[in-house]
Structure formats: structure tokens, C-alpha cells
Amino acid sequence: MKKISLLIFDLDGTLIDSKADITNCVLWTLRDMGLPSIPDEVIHSYVGNGVRPLIQKSVEAAHGSSFDKAIRIFEGYYRSHLIDKTRPFPGVQETLEHFRSKKMAVCTNKPQYFTEPILSVLKLDHYFMTVIGSGNTFPKKPDPTMIFHLIKEGGCRPEEVVLIGDSRVDIETGKNAGILTCGVTYGFRPAEEVHEANADFVIDSFLKLKSLFE
């Protein structure tokens, strides 16, 4: 087992299964704009880089063009539907409890004003020393600035830090920061993506983190 002092988690597709709520809100946005629906799996493939890329790609796929209007509609609707169906993935609560003695943080491209209330309502927020989402002073992943900040805040050595996520963006972020990476295959992205990104570890269950790190 690898000794770790700081675990950094992606949010959507890693800690929480928010696929249904995000998809429903994108489809609502398209309908509200008079645009046709697009397949759920197409929407899933757009998740991970933040709201603007998600909405821009979804609107383009529906042959629309009013991106700023679409973002306003999406954000207004999503605020009221953050956790209709969103839940932690199996094993998340148990595993976070297992690592309570470690420093833990969340690093996501989801806006901060969505991330914090979701973690609070799901009663996960108290596990993390810091939660960093988009919309603050840090550039989004795969830029490593957020990771450098967390390493400094935690007083950790980079070789004892791991970033856990479900996408190529997460793995690239960890590599850009010079830390360990762990890809999960149960999230939003195809399993092949984290394998092809050459994550240091790959797991198919959140619970398996307990057997990887100490």
C-alpha cells in the first residue's frame, strides 16, 4: 500500500452520481429554447470541463447558437434541481470515513456555487479541508494551480498526494502537478479514457481506495 497524506477528489462521476440531474437540466434548457433533445450519452460525454463547455456543446449538438442565454436558463433551473436524484456513489461515505485521519479536498470544474450546497446537503462537506470549484481565482483543470494550492495548504509532499477522478482531464491535472493519479471506471467517462491517460492506479469501486493507500 502507498502512504498518502492528502487525497484530492473530483466531484461529478467520482464522489457523486449527478448524471441524471445534469442530463435533465440540459434537456430542460434545450426544450425551453425550442431546440430538439439530444441523446443522454452525448450529454454525459460533455461533462467534466465546466458549465460553459457542457452547454455550448449541447446547444451546438442541437443545432442552436444562443449560448449565453442557454447558460442562464441551465443555471437557473439547475439551482433548484441540484440533488433531485444526485447521490454519493456506493462506498463513498464508508471510504471517506476510513480516511478521516488524512487530509482530503475536492477539486472540480463545477462552479463553486453548485459544489458547496451539493456536498452540504449530502453531508459530505465535513470530510474536506478545502473545496475548490470553478469561478474563483484558480484556472480550471487540467491547469495544476489548484493542486499546488492544496499541496501548500496541506503542508504535504507531492509524492504523498493523489488525485482521484473519472476523466482524462483529472489524470492530466495530476500529472501536470507531479502527483499520483487514480482513475475510476464507474463514472461519467468511458473506462478506456483513464486507462489511456495512464493513471497510476485504476479502480472500479470507490471502496478499493482503502486497499491502495494508507
Side-chain angles (χ1 to χ4, degrees), residues 23-79:
T23 301
N24 289 341
C25 291
V26 170
L27 293 175
W28 168 275
T29 300
L30 297 178
R31 287 195 298 271
D32 194 56
M33 295 182 67
L35 296 172
S37 296
I38 58 177
D40 290 3
E41 59 269 21
V42 172
I43 297 172
H44 303 162
S45 72
Y46 298 153
V47 175
N49 292 310
V51 169
R52 179 167 287 276
L54 166 67
I55 298 304
Q56 182 164 338
K57 290 178 180 178
S58 297
V59 169
E60 287 175 347
H63 307 292
S65 59
S66 301
F67 305 127
D68 290 339
K69 178 182 177 182
I71 289 170
R72 289 195 298 272
I73 294 171
F74 173 83
E75 291 195 335
Y77 190 71
Y78 190 40
R79 285 180 191 274

Side-chain angles (χ1 to χ4, degrees), residues 20-139:
D21 287 334
I22 291 173
T23 301
N24 289 341
C25 291
V26 170
L27 293 175
W28 168 275
T29 300
L30 297 178
R31 287 195 298 271
D32 194 56
M33 295 182 67
L35 296 172
S37 296
I38 58 177
D40 290 3
E41 59 269 21
V42 172
I43 297 172
H44 303 162
S45 72
Y46 298 153
V47 175
N49 292 310
V51 169
R52 179 167 287 276
L54 166 67
I55 298 304
Q56 182 164 338
K57 290 178 180 178
S58 297
V59 169
E60 287 175 347
H63 307 292
S65 59
S66 301
F67 305 127
D68 290 339
K69 178 182 177 182
I71 289 170
R72 289 195 298 272
I73 294 171
F74 173 83
E75 291 195 335
Y77 190 71
Y78 190 40
R79 285 180 191 274
S80 300
H81 299 274
L82 288 172
I83 54 165
D84 287 357
K85 296 182 179 180
T86 294
R87 298 293 183 271
F89 279 106
V92 165
Q93 190 92 33
E94 176 183 337
T95 304
L96 294 179
E97 193 67 32
H98 173 82
F99 287 113
R100 280 191 77 109
S101 63
K102 304 291 184 182
K103 295 181 176 71
M104 293 187 283
V106 171
C107 179
T108 175
N109 283 339
K110 195 184 199 82
Q112 192 89 18
Y113 48 80
F114 292 150
T115 299
E116 290 182 346
I118 288 173
L119 290 172
S120 176
V121 173
L122 295 179
K123 301 188 185 320
L124 298 177
D125 54 327
H126 63 284
Y127 288 110
F128 307 111
M129 67 174 192
T130 304
V131 173
I132 300 179
S134 68
N136 50 44
T137 58
F138 300 105

